Amino acid sequence: MDNITYPIKGACQCGGVTYELLEPPLLVVACHCKECQKLSTSAFSITAMVGANSVNFSGLMKNWSRSADSGNISAAKFCPTCGNRIYHYNPDEPDKIKLKPSNLSDTRIINPTLHVWVSEKQDWFKIPEGVKTFDKQPQ
């Protein structure tokens, strides 16, 4: 991934929300919990952990939130027109963003180095060897 050039542009499906990722993510995680399976309508959800100051957003976004198993609030920003999730965040940690990177123009950064909630993983999905896993959310 040495030849990835930043910033990388991203946009929701309809283009109403756009953004630029200014630097590489701190971490890319695949979450296999049932909530992320519902979110992604797939076996897992991909999240790129980034600093809030490493992304510039444009366009109107709506909010949604729920309580997480940890007791924290899992909040999300999404496009009100097409419904695409743009990022998740914990209101108590405003400097961290859990970017949903599948809508980036260059998706080569989507290479999870960590899989969480594998206790709820779909049986048919095989995690690559050598990738760190956690049965639930790491502390």
Side-chain angles (χ1 to χ4, degrees), residues 6 21 23-28 48-50 109:
Y6 292 86
L21 177 60
E23 58 192 34
L26 305 169
L27 183 67
V28 178
M49 305 297 283
V50 300
I109 69 161

Side-chain angles (χ1 to χ4, degrees), residues 34-49:
K34 296 299 182 191
E35 292 298 323
C36 280
Q37 290 177 34
K38 290 177 186 179
L39 164 68
S40 66
T41 67
S42 188
F44 53 87
S45 177
I46 301 287
T47 298
M49 305 297 283

Side-chain angles (χ1 to χ4, degrees), residues 17-126:
V17 176
T18 61
Y19 65 93
E20 287 186 328
L21 177 60
L22 306 175
E23 58 192 34
L26 305 169
L27 183 67
V28 178
V29 179
C31 182
H32 297 266
C33 77
K34 296 299 182 191
E35 292 298 323
C36 280
Q37 290 177 34
K38 290 177 186 179
L39 164 68
S40 66
T41 67
S42 188
F44 53 87
S45 177
I46 301 287
T47 298
M49 305 297 283
V50 300
N53 59 355
S54 67
V55 188
N56 292 328
F57 296 101
S58 296
L60 176 68
M61 289 188 271
K62 294 279 187 165
N63 296 302
W64 179 84
S65 65
R66 68 172 176 85
S67 294
D69 286 346
S70 64
N72 292 329
I73 298 297
S74 178
K77 294 281 191 173
F78 65 95
C79 173
T81 302
C82 68
N84 251 164
R85 293 274 175 102
I86 306 299
Y87 67 92
H88 286 209
Y89 64 100
N90 176 345
D92 292 334
E93 297 179 335
D95 293 342
K96 297 177 186 175
I97 289 180
K98 301 167 189 171
L99 189 68
K100 296 301 178 186
S102 295
N103 51 27
L104 287 167
S105 59
D106 185 345
T107 56
R108 291 178 292 164
I109 69 161
I110 304 175
N111 185 14
T113 56
L114 183 68
H115 286 251
V116 298
W117 283 94
V118 297
S119 59
E120 297 183 2
K121 177 181 83 57
Q122 293 291 319
D123 289 339
W124 57 265
F125 181 77
K126 304 297 182 223

